[in-house]
Amino acid sequence: GVNLPYLLGHNLRVHGVNAGSRIAHRKAALAMSAGKLKPVIENIVSLAEGPQAVAHAPKAEQFGKVCLQFDL
């Protein structure tokens, strides 16, 4: 699994793209920020539940995005 506290504690960044070009992702991001495209959010989990959500994601059992909620 992914050690999320280690990643955050060491200020590391994970970047991945499953499909499409960088240009396509940029266009999608612009459309989302303009309110023309809304992402499908499957689940919102706490930071503590993040490792389980990350472990669940590769199984492709979720349709939408899994989002982490940070309580500051």
Side-chain angles (χ1 to χ4, degrees):
V2 175
N3 186 340
L4 195 55
Y6 179 85
L7 291 176
L8 295 173
H10 289 84
N11 198 27
L12 299 176
R13 180 173 45 175
V14 177
H15 179 149
V17 175
N18 292 356
S21 67
R22 182 179 285 220
I23 293 170
H25 283 271
R26 177 74 178 143
K27 286 180 181 179
L30 290 172
M32 283 186 267
S33 66
K36 297 177 182 176
L37 179 66
K38 295 189 182 209
V40 176
I41 297 175
E42 175 74 20
N43 199 4
I44 299 173
V45 299
S46 69
L47 184 58
E49 297 170 316
Q52 292 85 358
V54 170
H56 179 72
K59 297 176 188 171
E61 294 175 358
Q62 87 281 357
F63 173 73
K65 300 298 181 194
V66 175
C67 300
L68 293 178
Q69 181 172 335
F70 294 85
D71 295 320
L72 302 175

